[in-house]
Amino acid sequence: MTEDIWVKGYVYSVDVAEEPAGKYRGQIYVKSHRYSGRTFEPPVVIETPAAFKREHAAEIEARALARELIDSGNLEDRLRTVPADAAPPHTTH
């Protein structure tokens, strides 16, 4: 898992999960939004829609997807659906 990444108040990290077919899928772990004071414990996990033959490609895709979701405002829409009293769901793009 990468070190924490801070973009526009969001704190997240990315990781790669190996799938049974020997491919890799990127994962984004959203931990908090510093400006609003919200934290997500456990982190909200968002997987990349595509799987790749190489771990590095999956990590690059996860980083790009995180930026796309933040810059477009779609990450906030996904986080709004997380119930305050329940564990965050495992979601996909």
Side-chain angles (χ1 to χ4, degrees), residues 6-64:
W6 294 38
V7 175
K8 296 184 179 180
Y10 292 99
V11 179
Y12 64 93
S13 60
V14 297
D15 201 4
V16 175
E18 186 173 2
E19 295 189 336
K23 291 195 173 191
Y24 299 92
R25 189 171 302 274
Q27 297 178 321
I28 304 162
Y29 290 83
V30 182
K31 300 175 180 182
S32 66
H33 187 262
R34 306 290 275 177
Y35 299 153
S36 68
R38 291 182 299 167
T39 59
F40 305 100
E41 188 59 42
V44 176
V45 179
I46 301 170
E47 291 188 332
T48 60
F52 299 88
K53 291 182 182 179
R54 296 180 182 237
E55 289 180 66
H56 187 66
E59 181 181 336
I60 290 169
E61 178 71 7
R63 288 175 179 269

